[in-house]
Amino acid sequence: VRLSVLALILTAAPVTAFVPGRGQTSRVAPLRMATTAAPATVGTNVAGLMRTNGKLVESLNGVGDVSEMTRLRFAMAFPNQAEATANLKERIAWSEGKGKAIVDAAAEAYAKATEGGGWDNDVVRAMAPHANLINDYISPKNTLTLSTDDGDLVY
């Protein structure tokens, strides 16, 4: 749940496209992600995914100061080391440059939402970039949240 909400925060930046007269003036190249990835051969638990993708995850160690889970995500998303490395570098550059405000806002929202050991989604919604513009349109009245058989949330 926490990662899904953070993903929503991180993707909220382009919301200016919905504000009259405030559309983006330049197009940012999207990350290139593989459309198909080899299925994990050792199940879908993290330990199995690490065993399957361990060499590529390890090869991404020197790319930047990112978590092992981030390296695993890039190892699984791209078919080879060159593409995984290039895209991870692009992600790091974005998060330290143009996307820094969004990343910092997400980190602050996460910290406040988890104070006390639980999760306060209202805090995250209120702190999302452009919350004053989008929160009226993203509510339980018009958003359906379901879960998969594995327990993942689907919006």
Side-chain angles (χ1 to χ4, degrees), residues 57-82:
V57 171
E58 192 75 23
S59 74
L60 298 173
N61 271 343
V63 175
D65 185 21
V66 296
S67 70
E68 184 176 57
M69 292 305 294
T70 297
R71 293 192 313 271
L72 175 61
R73 183 169 65 88
F74 278 81
M76 292 174 60
F78 300 98
N80 58 55
Q81 181 179 355

Side-chain angles (χ1 to χ4, degrees), residues 18-35:
F18 299 103
V19 179
R22 296 213 34 215
Q24 289 181 304
T25 57
S26 65
R27 174 113 171 103
V28 176
L31 286 177
R32 297 168 307 279
M33 298 199 65
T35 56

Side-chain angles (χ1 to χ4, degrees), residues 11-26 28 98 102 129-134:
T11 59
V15 79
T16 57
F18 299 103
V19 179
R22 296 213 34 215
Q24 289 181 304
T25 57
S26 65
V28 176
K98 188 173 185 173
I102 295 168
H130 310 291
N132 60 327
L133 300 174
I134 63 172

Side-chain angles (χ1 to χ4, degrees), residues 38-60:
T41 58
V42 188
T44 55
N45 64 41
V46 174
L49 293 172
M50 287 302 293
R51 280 192 301 276
T52 302
N53 299 283
K55 288 182 182 177
L56 184 50
V57 171
E58 192 75 23
S59 74
L60 298 173

